Amino acid sequence: MTAHPALDKLTAIDSLLSEEERDLATTVRSFADDKLRPYLADWFEAGEIPAREIAQQLGALGVLGMHLDGYECAGASATMYGLACQELEAADSGLRSLMSVQGSLAMTAIHHFGSEEQKQEWLPRMAAGEALGCFGLTEPDFGSDPAGMRTRAKRDGDDWVINGSKMWITNGTVADVAVVWAQTDDKIRGFVVPTDTKGFTATEVKHKLSLRASKTAGLSFEDMRLPGSAVLPEVSGLRGPLTCLSEARFGIIFGAMGAARDCLETALEYAGSRIIYDKPLAGFQLTQAKLADMTLELMKGQLLALHIGRQKDAGTLQPAQVSVGKLNNCREAIKIARECRTILAANGITLDYPVLRHANNLESVMTYEGTSEVHQLIVGQALTGEAAFR
């Protein structure tokens, strides 16, 4: 799971994985090295990414919706899904976001709460990367408090008519199908919306300083008419979107450590080859102190991710434990990225090295799928029994 021999030997995380898990991690890492890394700097600088081509490659790799059963999904373990997230985010958070939104949000919503017709229509194509999905929950004025959403769906005979808007929607401009959540007269409901539906508009978000190798959109719905069969029949209320968010948060626990690991590997290589005052930068006490402290946090974060993965596979994982993982691993990953930048000094601010790209991306990863503050309050509620959100 690590390319730097000394780091690999010290952390020894691979020894805790099965042969199948190690093989999967190696396969995804090799794919990222061969098919993605050579282009990441250009994609980030241009703010463009060939999302459909990458989705088809990820589908061929078998990682889209890989933790789901049936409908041509791989049915892999949660831990294996987490390891795939770690390897993709070691390349770029935006690429892991593409995979997460496809599998953990859009596909999970349809798989868990959709009708058999919805599952048959969309899941096999999405698993293959032939159809892309997005997840319309966050709104311009409602992110951490999704219950306040203003998008509304009203009955009109057998149809539904939706008006409203969503914001910060990954894959929004390239999606073939959107899972849209809206207020109704009877709780929040989810809808499976083909993006060529009249009244559906997706507009790309420009001028981003983070997740530039990712498609981000605003969605708007103007008298968007859907048949009654578009509703997700098996869920109402916030349980639906929050279940999907918990799946995506789980992937982030592993993914953030991938970004951190890539930064640390880069800093180790750089410090070993950079000569200053007639010896390698790695030979100075302050540099070694930084590297040692970052390795501690990386190893703790990887162990936490693996522990949570094992709990999820055992069916014992609680939502608050997912919050512990996301809170810790995002927090430590961005600290590692920033500290690695100091080791690279001026070289660290260029796209010749990945560390500041990772740091910029992690600014978004810390915020989406629940801000750090939200996860602090979830953990606090689990500890005290008191809800402190208001």
Side-chain angles (χ1 to χ4, degrees):
M1 287 162 57
T2 58
H4 193 281
L7 183 62
D8 185 44
K9 183 178 180 180
L10 187 60
T11 60
I13 298 295
D14 278 1
S15 66
L16 301 177
L17 304 179
S18 69
E19 183 177 357
E20 183 181 22
E21 290 166 343
R22 289 194 296 271
D23 288 345
L24 180 278
T26 299
T27 297
V28 178
R29 180 164 189 149
S30 296
F31 165 79
D33 287 344
D34 295 341
K35 303 295 185 181
L36 303 175
R37 286 185 187 275
Y39 313 105
L40 285 172
D42 290 339
W43 290 342
F44 189 90
E45 187 165 36
E48 293 290 339
I49 183 173
R52 287 193 170 277
E53 178 183 341
I54 293 171
Q56 291 171 0
Q57 291 173 333
L58 292 174
L61 199 63
V63 298
L64 296 179
M66 62 183 291
H67 59 300
L68 303 175
D69 291 313
Y71 307 97
E72 300 183 27
C73 300
S77 70
T79 300
M80 289 182 71
Y81 168 65
L83 293 170
C85 287
Q86 179 168 262
E87 296 306 329
L88 274 183
E89 192 147 357
D92 191 86
S93 300
L95 302 176
R96 198 266 310 143
S97 292
L98 187 157
M99 172 184 164
S100 292
V101 169
Q102 179 86 341
S104 290
L105 294 180
M107 290 179 70
T108 291
I110 296 170
H111 186 276
H112 287 11
F113 308 121
S115 66
E116 186 60 29
E117 291 74 18
Q118 290 166 340
K119 295 175 187 179
Q120 293 285 356
E121 179 179 4
W122 291 108
L123 291 179
R125 293 167 57 202
M126 295 175 79
E130 296 171 359
L132 272 171
C134 66
F135 190 82
L137 177 64
T138 297
E139 297 190 355
D141 296 319
F142 291 94
S144 295
D145 181 20
M149 71 175 64
R150 292 174 180 155
T151 298
R152 291 200 61 85
K154 287 188 169 293
R155 276 284 198 183
D156 184 13
D158 292 334
D159 293 346
W160 292 91
V161 177
I162 300 181
N163 284 279
S165 63
K166 302 293 180 179
M167 191 60 177
W168 309 117
I169 309 303
T170 297
N171 299 346
T173 55
V174 293
D176 301 284
V177 62
V179 175
V180 176
W181 301 91
Q183 297 276 10
T184 73
D185 291 335
D186 179 26
K187 298 184 177 180
I188 290 170
R189 301 299 299 267
F191 298 84
V192 179
V193 183
T195 56
D196 60 0
T197 301
K198 184 179 179 181
F200 179 101
T201 303
T203 304
E204 186 171 358
V205 175
K206 297 287 190 178
H207 307 301
K208 294 186 300 179
L209 298 176
S210 179
L211 292 182
R212 291 179 56 78
S214 177
K215 292 289 189 180
T216 308
L219 308 181
S220 63
F221 321 112
E222 184 175 357
D223 294 330
M224 184 174 68
R225 183 173 293 273
L226 300 169
S229 59
V231 72
L232 292 171
E234 299 300 326
V235 74
S236 62
L238 281 175
R239 182 175 69 87
L242 292 183
T243 296
C244 301
L245 287 177
S246 186
E247 292 291 326
R249 290 165 176 170
F250 171 81
I252 290 170
I253 296 170
F254 281 83
M257 288 296 98
R261 189 196 71 202
D262 194 55
C263 291
L264 184 52
E265 289 174 356
T266 301
L268 281 164
E269 292 291 343
Y270 185 89
S273 61
R274 177 72 169 184
I275 303 300
I276 183 170
Y277 300 121
D278 300 322
K279 70 175 183 178
L281 179 59
F284 290 86
Q285 291 183 358
L286 287 177
T287 303
Q288 291 193 8
K290 291 178 181 181
L291 294 171
D293 286 347
M294 288 189 290
T295 299
L296 290 177
E297 297 309 322
L298 174 69
M299 187 172 181
K300 287 189 284 186
Q302 288 181 317
L303 289 170
L304 176 60
L306 189 56
H307 172 61
I308 289 174
R310 299 300 189 213
Q311 285 185 296
K312 187 169 176 59
D313 284 326
T316 59
L317 184 64
Q318 300 300 310
Q321 293 171 313
V322 176
S323 289
V324 169
K326 183 179 187 295
L327 176 62
N328 181 81
N329 285 11
C330 288
R331 178 188 285 170
E332 298 307 323
I334 197 167
K335 288 180 182 177
I336 289 171
R338 290 168 176 165
E339 190 77 293
C340 287
R341 211 290 298 169
T342 70
I343 292 176
L344 271 67
N347 284 318
I349 71 166
T350 75
L351 283 171
D352 293 334
Y353 299 91
V355 291
L356 196 57
R357 173 170 55 82
H358 280 307
N360 283 0
N361 286 339
L362 288 165
E363 291 285 354
S364 294
V365 178
M366 284 185 65
T367 303
Y368 65 27
E369 321 298 359
T371 65
S372 292
E373 291 82 359
V374 164
H375 289 295
Q376 285 176 309
L377 296 180
I378 292 172
V379 175
Q381 183 177 11
L383 291 170
T384 67
E386 298 288 341
F389 293 91
R390 300 180 187 276

